[in-house]
Structure formats: structure tokens, C-alpha cells
Amino acid sequence: MPAGPPGSTAPAGPPASTAPGGPAATAPGQPVYPWDPAAPSHVFPPTGGFPPGAGPYAGFPPGYPPYGGHLPYGWPGGGGWDPDDPLVNPPHAGVNGWFARCAGAVRRGWRLLLPLLFLTQVLPGLALSLVSLALSPGAGDELPADGSLPDGFLTDLAVFGSVVFLVSLLLSLVQCVGWAGGTWVVARQAAGEPVDLGGAVRYGLRRAPGLWGWQLLVSLLVLVGVCFFVLPGVYLAFALALVGPVYLFERQNPIGRSFRFFHDRLGLVLGRVGLVALALLAGGLIGFVLETVATAPFGADPFGSPAAVTAVVAVTVVSSVLTLPVQLIQLVGLVATYAEQRAQEGPVNAARLAAELG
């Protein structure tokens, strides 16, 4: 390059290079910024300001975080869900996982659940059936030739309705003992805790009054819904199907929580409760047909002779016992459905649910 003008001290030239890690050189005419050797250097990839192991998705496996309450494809069960939990069906397992957990609950607990449900479900149902047959209005009376009602029919009908209603109320309290005790057995067995029939009955007696009150309210709501052209009653029966488990595990706002489960995941809850309802419908239909066909030969008065009484009681007992598997399906199916809904809200396991029962 040409030399500078006379009197200059140094020729103009390119900027001097700097040592690695030193301050950056600047072009002529640009301001010089101070360099702090202690300032942290940039790293790649960026950490977003989170220390190692404390990122925004801490606790989940590496990779993309869960989205929409579900696990990404291929994840075995991160984020706190146990894919092998014996009671809680994780969000990604589907209906096959729900069936597997229902079958596991039956396999673990049938030796305790069958006698418990027989004492608290079958026997009360049998007693109600016998009372209904014995007090049926007009039983044994010949109908008048002109087609009018027999004398005293309306009085008998009022007595029949009153007695059946009161007996149903008392027996439903006994049934609540079975539902509460059965839920205790299912949850504790899934958590690996010891259970026995006496413990189940004691727990059922402790929780039955509160459960009974909520079940009466649910029955009243469903009855009112049925009076409005049936469909509202069917809707309420499905939407309030989880009131019992919600009360036993959470003991607050069971109606609101059951509605929320039903509406937040309509297809899932409707499918699970629908399968339970189909089992109940099939069992009830079989029992009704059997009892109707077996008592038809005895006419309007099934208690007119000792032989008729023996036959009718035997048929009623058989039809009541046939409802026992259906009662077991209903109990296990609703408890497994509730546990699955809890898993949709966040990680939960059988041990935690068993502890919540108190």
C-alpha cells in the first residue's frame, strides 16, 4: 500500500487479529464495547434458562411432552402413570386395558365379593320380591264379570305401594353396605393390602349412611327425568352413574363430579357405563322371564297352596341368585371406570385410591 503522508506515525492497514477468547476487534470508525472475561458464553443447544433436570417438562421421559392428557405414541407410561397398575387404566390403554383391569379385579376378589354381594344385594332383592308377590293387590280374587275393579282394590293398592316403598328404602341401605364394602375390597386388593369379609362389612357400615343419602337423591332425579318422556331419565342415569365411587373416594360434590366426568369425556364414560348397563339389562331380563314363566301355572294367587308357595319361593330364589354375577360386574365396572377417569385428570395409582377410601 502507498505510504502515508509525511508526519504520520503508522501506515493504515487491516485490523489486527485477536487471540482466541479475547475481545472482538472492531472496524475503524466503530465504537469499542468493553469485554468482560467473566461473562458466560452462549451454549448450543439453548437451555431456555432451566438448569439440567429442571426443565418445563421435568418428570417426563426425554422427548416431546404429553399433549392433550395423552401420552405420545411409543411411550410406555411416563409422567407418573404406571402401565401395569392393576386398577387404574392409563390414558393411552383404551377399552382393552379397562377390560383387563375389570377381569383382574374379579379374579382377585371373587372369593370375598360373591358372599358380600349375596348378603347385601341378593338377599334384599329376594325379600323385596317375596313381599311384592305376597302383597300384590287382587291376588286370589276373582275379577267381576262386568270388568270393574274388585272391592277394596284401591285400598290394597295403596297398602302395597306404601309397604314396598318402605321396604325398598330399608333394603337399599343394606345394599349400600355392599357397594361400599365391595369398593373397599377392589381398591385394597389392587394396592396389595390385606382384606377380609369382616373388614369389608365394617367399612360398608361406616360409609353406607352417606352413600345411601346420595343414592336416594340420584334415584329421585332419575325418576323425575323418566316422568319427562323417559329420555331425560336415561341421560341422568348415565351422567350420575359414578356418584357412588366419587362419594366413597372423594366425599365431596359427587353429583357435580359425576356430571363433569360424563361431559368432559362423553364417549369414554358413555361406552364404559353402557357396557355395565347392558349387563344389568341382560341379567334383569333373564331373571324376569324365568320368574314369569315359572309362576304362570299358579295363576293369580301364587300362595294359594303349600305346593305353589314352595315352587314360587324356589323360582324366586333361583332368579335372585342369577343376578349375583351381574351385581359383581356392576361393582367392578363402575370402580374401574372411576379410576380411569381419575387417570385422565392426572397420574394416580391403586395405592393412592385405596388410601383415599379412609
Side-chain angles (χ1 to χ4, degrees):
M1 297 181 63
S8 62
T9 58
S17 62
T18 60
T26 58
Q30 293 183 351
V32 178
Y33 297 97
W35 172 71
D36 183 6
S41 59
H42 293 287
V43 294
F44 185 85
T47 62
F50 294 99
Y57 307 113
F60 293 98
Y64 292 102
Y67 53 93
H70 299 277
L71 297 178
Y73 179 78
W75 284 15
W81 287 285
D82 181 5
D84 299 321
D85 191 278
L87 179 61
V88 180
N89 192 30
H92 63 289
V95 70
N96 290 334
W98 180 80
F99 271 119
R101 282 155 178 84
C102 290
V106 172
R107 185 171 57 252
R108 289 188 300 269
W110 67 269
R111 292 178 179 84
L112 281 177
L113 294 175
L114 287 182
L116 177 65
L117 294 177
F118 179 81
L119 293 174
T120 60
Q121 309 296 321
V122 174
L123 290 184
L126 175 62
L128 185 60
S129 297
L130 294 178
V131 169
S132 301
L133 286 174
L135 298 179
S136 178
D141 296 338
E142 294 291 338
L143 292 177
D146 58 359
S148 61
L149 294 176
D151 294 336
F153 178 81
L154 294 180
T155 302
D156 294 342
L157 181 61
V159 172
F160 170 79
S162 301
V163 172
V164 170
F165 176 73
L166 292 176
V167 172
S168 300
L169 284 181
L170 295 176
L171 294 181
S172 64
L173 178 59
V174 178
Q175 290 177 327
C176 287
V177 175
W179 293 130
T183 302
W184 182 83
V185 170
V186 171
R188 286 179 63 89
Q189 282 187 330
E193 300 179 10
V195 294
D196 59 89
L197 185 59
V201 173
R202 288 191 296 271
Y203 180 83
L205 290 172
R206 183 156 51 94
R207 296 296 184 198
L211 180 61
W212 184 53
W214 285 108
Q215 292 293 353
L216 290 180
L217 180 57
V218 168
S219 300
L220 180 60
L221 292 174
V222 173
L223 180 61
V224 172
V226 170
C227 294
F228 288 95
F229 305 104
V230 180
L231 287 181
V234 175
Y235 158 75
L236 288 173
F238 277 85
L240 300 176
L242 297 180
V243 163
V246 170
Y247 169 75
L248 293 174
F249 286 100
E250 303 178 27
R251 288 184 289 284
Q252 58 181 354
N253 193 24
I255 289 181
R257 289 281 288 158
S258 184
F259 267 116
R260 180 179 175 183
F261 285 146
F262 185 72
H263 288 283
D264 285 355
R265 289 167 289 276
L266 178 62
L268 192 151
V269 178
L270 187 62
R272 308 294 193 265
V273 176
L275 292 173
V276 175
L278 284 177
L280 289 174
L281 183 62
L285 184 61
I286 292 174
F288 173 76
V289 170
L290 177 62
E291 188 172 340
T292 302
V293 171
T295 57
F298 303 103
D301 187 10
F303 296 97
S305 65
V309 170
T310 303
V312 169
V313 170
V315 170
T316 306
V317 169
V318 171
S319 62
S320 298
V321 172
L322 289 178
T323 65
L324 187 56
V326 179
Q327 303 285 351
L328 181 59
I329 292 173
Q330 181 182 6
L331 170 67
V332 171
L334 292 182
V335 173
T337 301
Y338 169 80
E340 185 180 36
Q341 296 312 301
R342 287 288 300 273
Q344 295 286 338
E345 295 181 336
V348 70
N349 56 20
R352 176 177 173 180
L353 292 178
E356 290 179 358
L357 286 174

